[in-house]
């Protein structure tokens, strides 16, 4: 494992696979080190091994690392280089600047970025694999041997899940969560806050260890409009989920992002855009993001009206936002400007984050933080929602709800229950079956 300095040189080689699914490599290579998929875009990325890892210590160093990641690796390609390479850095960072207080989050640290030994990605119907190694004696032979390992044995398709349903024993305190929501409503009534997003965890104990590859397969199948992700850290702990929210997608100077706030059950979505509470919650996110982008971008445009993003268990109001970044603005600057949005923090930003630090009683870790990939000319970072931290047969799910004037603690509890269903179904292998 390496912690590379800026400008370190690496050697790499690529080839095209006779395969249709990067996740199929799990039967040959085991559980991926990271995974990323947008099913509707026919984009999937999987990585195995860790040719290099960057693990900053402290919030300031995490921000500095994000700004310098793209320059940390100079790649010399044997034969031809790929026309479009995702990454090559994959990882994420904590929601808040505070140090991890939960033992299971410590392996992920303030941030963790990985350059894989093997990277497999699909764009459309083309699947490509690349191997990476430090440019030193034996480096070229190493990448050739890694490619040869998968050349003739990489499966064409992902196998069907092998395990049957997993019974889940769940625990979470409704009373504590509703009490925290009531405290938030008091702060809003007193004028100290306009909005705050309260999160809670759900502890799930499986009847046997969770098969992470099966969980990934279910997540992507059940949530095609979401980004499915997995990031593993040392010690057998993994963070995975299927999030509907993009923080930023950067291609050169072109930026795409979105405001996602305001929620309803699928059967109650009619008129969602006209409901005062949900529209105020949504509009606060749009206003914040436009203000955050003005110093770093030009030609900022938004959808004329919010549309409905319909998922299996919940419907959201969504406004797409597009912009052209000023010359020299990096993806790291975009992340710094936007995160955390009011969709996961609140308004005013600093007051809401202070309220969460004092009252939420939860180490969010990477939940609601930026996760994804970043490279020399582009990046794609999502907000890590609808997610869980998994170790063996134990999973901790994270869900949240935006609290504004007019919210009720009982309704917000029901909203978080609804948002947790996708992850529970993926963990349990189907319908949620709860042990007493």
């Amino acid at each position: 494992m390496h912690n590379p300095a800026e400008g370190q040189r690496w050697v790499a080689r690529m080839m095209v696979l006779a395969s249709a699914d990067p996740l199929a490599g799990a039967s040959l290579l085991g559980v991926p080190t990271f995974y990323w998929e947008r099913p509707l875009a026919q984009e999937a990325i999987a990585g195995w091994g860790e040719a290099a890892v960057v693990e900053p210590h402290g919030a300031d160093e995490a921000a500095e690392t994000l700004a310098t990641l793209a320059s940390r690796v100079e790649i010399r390609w044997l034969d031809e280089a790929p026309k479009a390479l995702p990454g090559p850095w994959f990882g994420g960072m904590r929601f808040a600047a505070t140090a991890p207080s939960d033992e299971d989050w410590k392996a992920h640290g303030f941030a963790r970025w990985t350059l894989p030994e093997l990277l497999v990605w699909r764009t459309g119907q083309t699947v490509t694999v690349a191997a990476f190694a430090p440019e030193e004696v034996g480096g070229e032979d190493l990448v050739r041997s890694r490619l040869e390992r998968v050349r003739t044995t990489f499966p064409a398709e992902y196998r069907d899940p092998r395990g049957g349903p997993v019974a889940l024993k769940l625990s979470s305190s409704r009373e504590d969560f509703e009490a925290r929501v009531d405290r938030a409503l008091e702060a809003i009534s007193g004028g100290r806050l306009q909005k705050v997003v309260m999160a809670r965890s759900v502890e799930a104990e499986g009847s046997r260890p969770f098969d992470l590859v099966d969980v990934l397969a279910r997540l992507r199948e059940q949530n095609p409009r979401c980004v499915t992700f997995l990031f593993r850290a040392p010690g057998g702990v993994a963070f995975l989920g299927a999030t509907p929210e993009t923080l930023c997608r950067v291609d050169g100077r072109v930026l795409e992002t979105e405001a996602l706030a305001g929620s309803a059950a699928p059967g109650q979505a009619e008129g969602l855009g006209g409901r005062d509470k949900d529209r105020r919650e949504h509009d606060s996110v749009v206003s914040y993001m436009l203000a955050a982008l003005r110093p770093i971008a030009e030609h900022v445009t938004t959808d004329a009206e919010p549309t409905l993003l319909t998922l299996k268990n919940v419907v959201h109001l969504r406004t797409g936002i597009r912009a052209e970044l000023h010359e020299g603005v990096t993806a790291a600057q975009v992340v710094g400007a936007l995160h955390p949005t009011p969709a996961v923090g609140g308004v005013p930003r600093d007051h809401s984050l202070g309220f969460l630090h004092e009252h939420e009683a939860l180490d969010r870790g990477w939940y609601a933080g930026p996760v994804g990939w970043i490279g020399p000319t582009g990046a794609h970072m999502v907000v890590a929602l609808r997610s869980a931290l998994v170790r063996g047969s134990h999973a901790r799910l994270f869900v949240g709800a935006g609290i504004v004037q007019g919210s009720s603690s009982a309704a917000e509890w029901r909203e978080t229950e609804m948002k947790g269903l996708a992850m529970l179904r993926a963990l349990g292998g189907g319908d949620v079956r709860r042990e007493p």
Side-chain angles (χ1 to χ4, degrees):
M1 185 183 300
H2 303 271
N3 208 345
E6 293 184 41
Q8 183 169 348
R9 291 179 60 87
W10 295 73
V11 62
R13 194 178 189 186
M14 59 157 279
M15 67 180 181
V16 177
L17 289 174
S19 175
D21 188 354
L23 193 57
S27 61
L28 171 68
L29 302 169
V31 180
T33 305
F34 62 81
Y35 188 78
W36 173 274
E37 181 166 5
R38 297 191 299 151
L40 292 184
Q42 294 188 304
E43 174 189 280
I45 310 166
W48 283 270
E50 296 180 336
V53 177
V54 179
E55 297 177 291
H57 302 289
D60 291 341
E61 189 177 328
E64 293 171 3
T65 295
L66 186 64
T68 61
L69 267 181
S71 63
R72 289 206 176 217
V73 170
E74 183 179 343
I75 299 173
R76 178 173 66 86
W77 290 91
L78 306 179
D79 305 323
E80 64 177 319
K83 294 180 180 179
L85 176 71
W89 292 103
F90 297 83
M93 21 191 334
R94 286 177 60 80
F95 169 80
T98 54
S101 59
D102 187 276
E103 194 64 33
D104 282 341
W105 276 123
K106 290 182 179 179
H108 285 80
F110 281 92
R112 196 170 197 275
W113 298 95
T114 299
L115 172 75
E117 295 175 344
L118 283 170
L119 178 65
V120 182
W121 71 96
R122 181 184 71 228
T123 305
Q125 297 301 313
T126 301
V127 175
T128 308
V129 58
F132 300 88
E135 188 172 47
E136 54 191 31
V137 176
E140 294 187 11
D141 291 338
L142 188 55
V143 297
R144 289 189 178 97
S145 66
R146 285 174 179 166
L147 287 184
E148 190 59 32
R149 181 185 176 194
V150 302
R151 181 185 300 275
T152 58
T153 55
F154 200 94
E157 299 290 345
Y158 169 71
R159 59 166 171 79
D160 291 331
R162 293 172 178 168
V166 178
L168 302 176
K169 185 176 182 179
L170 307 181
S171 63
S172 186
S173 173
R174 177 171 183 168
E175 182 180 355
D176 289 348
F177 178 74
E178 291 189 354
R180 291 195 293 271
V181 172
D182 287 338
R183 285 197 291 272
L185 289 171
E186 291 174 4
I188 291 170
S189 296
R192 299 189 298 276
L193 297 173
Q194 297 174 38
K195 173 187 176 180
V196 65
V197 180
M198 299 297 297
R200 68 180 178 92
S201 64
V202 181
E203 305 295 325
E205 193 69 37
S207 54
R208 64 174 181 275
F210 297 108
D211 184 323
L212 294 178
V213 179
D214 284 356
V215 176
L216 280 176
R218 295 185 193 109
L219 281 173
R220 67 178 188 174
E221 178 182 353
Q222 297 170 10
N223 306 278
R225 295 180 181 272
C226 296
V227 173
T228 298
F229 63 86
L230 161 77
F231 296 95
R232 289 199 297 139
V237 60
F239 181 55
L240 73 167
T243 178
E245 185 171 353
T246 292
L247 181 65
C248 63
R249 185 174 177 86
V250 178
D251 185 2
R253 292 177 59 189
V254 177
L255 167 68
E256 295 179 3
T257 183
E258 62 186 349
L260 206 67
S263 308
Q268 301 173 355
E270 186 176 353
L272 177 61
R275 297 176 192 169
D276 179 64
K277 168 191 173 296
D278 293 286
R279 191 57 186 260
R280 282 187 290 108
E281 182 181 350
H282 184 82
D283 290 347
S284 70
V285 179
V286 175
S287 297
Y288 168 87
M289 297 184 76
L290 293 179
L293 290 175
R294 287 190 188 104
I296 62 173
E298 53 192 315
H299 308 305
V300 181
T301 62
T302 70
D303 295 341
E305 289 289 332
T307 58
L308 296 182
L309 176 63
T310 302
L311 307 176
K312 188 170 184 177
N313 303 304
V314 63
V315 179
H316 295 293
L317 289 177
R318 178 191 182 276
T319 295
I321 302 173
R322 296 154 295 279
E324 183 177 346
L325 298 174
H326 291 318
E327 189 71 39
V329 171
T330 65
Q333 289 173 279
V334 176
V335 172
L338 294 179
H339 173 73
T341 74
V344 292
V347 179
R349 175 172 169 169
D350 290 343
H351 288 177
S352 62
L353 294 180
F355 183 89
L356 292 175
H357 178 71
E358 184 176 355
H359 296 288
E360 194 172 52
L362 176 69
D363 183 355
R364 291 192 182 191
W366 286 20
Y367 166 71
V371 302
W373 60 263
I374 189 167
T377 61
H380 191 174
M381 305 293 288
V382 297
V383 183
L385 306 176
R386 317 296 148 78
S387 50
L389 191 65
V390 179
R391 184 199 296 270
S393 61
H394 184 81
R396 179 177 300 119
L397 285 68
F398 299 90
V399 288
I403 315 303
V404 296
Q405 187 174 3
S407 296
S408 75
S409 57
E412 302 307 330
W413 171 268
R414 290 193 296 271
E415 180 176 321
T416 58
E417 288 280 276
M418 177 176 61
K419 289 176 176 177
L421 282 175
M423 194 72 235
L424 287 171
R425 285 172 175 156
L427 289 168
D431 293 333
V432 179
R433 301 187 300 129
R434 306 187 185 206
E435 292 183 350

